[in-house]
Amino acid sequence: QVQLVESGGGLVQAGGSLRLSCVTSGITFEIGAMGWWRQRPGLQRELVASINREGKPNYIGSAEGRFTIFGDIPKGTMHLQMDNLQFADTAVYYCNLPVRVGAQDIYDYWGQGTQVTVSS
């Protein structure tokens, strides 16, 4: 049974930093990529950053230059270093593991979420 567990969320002042972590267990398939999503209050869930098994990262525009995604993706371990956090970054952050056949996303595993709250 696949399980994703996030950690590292918390309360931080604007300009501060947090590092989120995600660990995966129960993998019976090859992991092609993982990502961090977030759900801000009143908004749709959005992809913040993703990384493939070769280590190539992608970021949402507002995160670029402030956030760094890294990890051992084939082993299902992923981190998100968040620097210069802003109030708009306040959200529940979710670890995502997509199951893909070729380029087709057939299923997504999700962690339980970790709350990030940024205050002034």
Side-chain angles (χ1 to χ4, degrees):
Q1 186 167 322
V2 175
Q3 299 285 333
L4 279 68
V5 179
E6 305 102 328
S7 62
L11 175 64
V12 64
Q13 290 188 319
S17 298
L18 287 172
R19 180 177 291 186
L20 307 183
S21 297
C22 175
V23 295
T24 305
S25 62
I27 301 297
T28 60
F29 51 88
E30 181 179 271
I31 301 173
M34 297 179 71
W36 287 100
W37 295 64
R38 70 185 179 191
Q39 188 145 26
R40 295 184 286 174
L43 300 176
Q44 295 284 92
R45 190 180 300 179
E46 62 186 346
L47 178 62
V48 178
S50 63
I51 182 169
N52 66 16
R53 63 184 293 111
E54 290 76 44
K56 181 182 179 181
N58 282 287
Y59 302 94
I60 193 173
S62 62
E64 199 159 357
R66 299 188 298 123
F67 294 4
T68 304
I69 187 170
F70 64 99
D72 189 345
I73 305 308
K75 295 182 179 178
T77 301
M78 180 180 63
H79 311 276
L80 184 67
Q81 176 67 39
M82 302 185 293
D83 297 321
N84 192 23
L85 283 160
Q86 305 297 311
F87 176 77
D89 297 316
T90 296
V92 179
Y93 285 73
Y94 296 92
C95 178
N96 169 248
L97 197 170
V99 180
R100 296 194 171 102
V101 177
Q104 184 175 359
D105 189 352
I106 63 170
Y107 190 79
D108 289 278
Y109 291 100
W110 297 92
Q112 82 288 347
T114 185
Q115 176 71 50
V116 171
T117 303
V118 184
S119 64
S120 60

